[in-house]
Amino acid sequence: MTVTSPAVTVGTAPAGLNRITADDDLFFKLHSLYPNALVNQLAYRFDTALGRDLLQSWHAHLATGFIARRVRTTRFPIARAHWEPASESLPLRWSDTPIPDHGVLDWFREQAAVEFDPERGLVWQLAGAPTESGGTVVTLVASHVACDGGGMMHAIVDSLGRLNRGETPDRATSAGRLVGPVAGAGRLAADLADARHQLRAVARGVRAARRARGVSEPARNPRPTQPCLPHAETWQPAETIVQLDLAEWDAVAAAHGGTTNGLLIGLAVGALGRSGRIADGAEVRVDIPHSMREADDPRANATTGLPISVRYRDDARADLGRVRADLKAAGLAYRDPATIPPIQHLQPVQMLLPKVVLHRFARTAKAPECLCTNLGRTAQNIARIGEHRARDVIMRPVVNAGPVALFRQVEVGINLAFSCDDHTVTLVVTGGDPDRFPTRDALRELLTAEFAAWGLTPRFW
């Protein structure tokens, strides 16, 4: 189900320029405050040797594709910046040193620490290395400024399809054509027209926000200040990858009156509760990213969030029937401007805020306490590079290392990302609270107990 809300519709950009969205603008402005704190990563594990040349060929397709874009700012603060095709990219990062098989997850994480520059178009990087067992590991990392999960998937499907068909890298005939043109002689007039367009959008947004001022979203729980464990000043969030049989997953979800999304949410809330982050009986705010991407959609970010409340109980599993009903109600609410929270209508106003003001708000903003992303059956669509089929395919958001005080300040909780093929579920779990998920081992211990409560059999990497 695609949710299209008047608060986040795109509209045709004047003069044909691909103007950035409110989400693009937010990620772009926050990039200067928290550079590359959150990135998207595609990760592969192959049992065969791919070789550098094959990855270099894929790199060439990516360099003319959907994520090969740069932000071009405007002369007028009111007019939106726009996307232009990038003329440069970060080179392929290839290592000749074999990676130990037990160190694959750590290698994936290391590749996610990339210095991006959205204004130059340095917003993605491809990397690969052999493994000690004779296979290959590969990752593609992209800045959230340049794409959300759906945008990254579109870029991957298009570029791999062209590579596997033996086509020549070409921006004009690939998804790269959607990025938009380079601003020409009419740029000044286009910016003036967009400034007028934005002022009208602000007026409409303010009126809609006033009409929806009685609409509220589920509240989040404040983060307890204790315990406060000893950590170094810089902390890497705990993360793990776990796989399960899809048939078992579907059977457990159905047995409890739920769906894939419901079981994912139930596991996340249960693990958060077991960590001590929330009290017995608390209503947990769960945020579910929801794609609004359409065919031939030029937007970098085209995602909205559906928030619901889920009750945690120490002695019981989450009620998946209630979760299912609440998700349906949240989806319906976001179709109607009258039931969309005012903050969504005010996105055009947010785009007018200068970076310094947004930075001030960002320092007091809070991260989701529980974030559950369902990427669906994506693995089989992108599992082949050339003649090689991957043993494992992972799509995930990565929270990079940062000051431990910052993680406590923004009150990061737990993030789960789900993807699957026809046989296997892959969950990527990130614990962003340094005092509830201090290490990978601690996170795995909590998850093991939660899986057991549902009768699930996990296989941890």
Side-chain angles (χ1 to χ4, degrees), residues 21-359:
T21 67
D23 285 339
D24 299 343
D25 176 74
L26 181 63
F27 285 121
F28 179 51
K29 288 173 178 172
L30 291 180
H31 178 84
S32 59
L33 184 62
Y34 306 125
N36 310 316
L38 179 65
V39 298
N40 293 310
Q41 183 180 52
L42 166 71
Y44 289 100
R45 186 163 60 170
F46 291 87
D47 290 329
T48 54
L50 270 65
R52 179 174 186 154
D53 290 345
L54 178 58
L55 291 186
Q56 195 66 61
S57 297
W58 185 21
H59 185 282
H61 282 282
L62 289 166
T64 56
F66 187 76
I67 56 174
R69 55 176 68 203
R70 73 183 188 98
V71 176
R72 181 79 178 270
T73 55
T74 63
R75 303 182 190 184
F76 302 99
I78 297 175
R80 294 171 294 173
H82 64 273
W83 292 108
E84 289 187 348
S87 58
E88 57 181 324
S89 60
L90 292 168
L92 171 69
R93 181 189 289 176
W94 175 264
S95 171
D96 290 316
T97 304
I99 306 301
D101 289 276
H102 63 79
V104 167
L105 183 54
D106 289 333
W107 184 84
F108 286 162
R109 186 178 65 192
E110 291 165 5
Q111 306 317 303
V114 184
E115 291 299 321
F116 291 127
D117 186 340
E119 292 188 76
R120 290 179 59 190
L122 306 180
V123 291
W124 60 274
Q125 184 160 61
L126 185 66
T131 62
E132 288 183 347
S133 60
T136 311
V137 284
V138 177
T139 81
L140 172 64
V141 180
S143 167
H144 219 313
V145 179
C147 64
D148 56 14
M152 188 174 185
M153 182 58 63
H154 185 48
I156 294 163
V157 170
D158 179 69
S159 59
L160 282 181
R162 293 178 64 84
L163 171 70
N164 295 339
R165 292 190 299 269
E167 298 177 16
T168 302
D170 178 36
R171 195 183 306 275
T173 57
S174 72
R177 73 188 186 281
L178 300 173
V179 173
V182 175
R187 181 186 175 197
L188 178 61
D191 285 349
L192 285 171
D194 191 70
R196 293 192 293 269
H197 170 88
Q198 281 300 94
L199 289 175
R200 289 192 294 270
V202 166
R204 288 194 301 269
V206 170
R207 288 195 297 269
R210 290 185 63 186
R211 288 193 294 268
R213 59 185 177 273
V215 179
S216 61
E217 291 187 327
R220 67 192 310 284
N221 295 284
R223 178 184 181 273
T225 58
Q226 296 298 323
C228 187
L229 303 181
H231 285 287
E233 287 187 10
T234 299
W235 181 70
Q236 174 67 55
E239 61 178 356
T240 190
I241 296 175
V242 58
Q243 293 181 310
L244 307 96
D245 292 335
L246 177 61
E248 180 184 69
W249 179 280
D250 288 343
V252 169
H256 291 87
T259 60
T260 288
N261 271 344
L263 183 53
L264 177 67
I265 291 167
L267 287 165
V269 170
L272 190 67
R274 289 178 186 275
S275 75
R277 170 70 179 258
I278 52 175
D280 181 29
E283 292 284 339
V284 180
R285 172 172 168 144
V286 181
D287 288 278
I288 304 98
H290 195 83
S291 177
M292 296 160 46
R293 193 165 297 278
E294 302 170 355
D296 288 336
D297 198 321
R299 290 175 289 178
N301 288 275
T303 303
T304 190
L306 300 181
I308 64 170
S309 288
V310 179
R311 177 165 294 178
Y312 169 71
R313 296 304 303 268
D314 286 342
D315 57 353
R317 294 177 291 262
D319 182 346
L320 299 195
R322 177 187 164 188
V323 169
R324 186 174 191 171
D326 289 349
L327 278 173
K328 183 177 180 180
L332 291 173
Y334 267 65
R335 290 180 175 181
D336 183 353
T339 52
I340 295 174
I343 190 66
Q344 294 288 337
H345 293 292
L346 294 175
Q347 286 184 335
V349 178
Q350 167 221 299
M351 295 186 74
L352 297 184
L353 296 177
K355 192 182 299 182
V356 63
V357 174
L358 194 63
H359 284 183

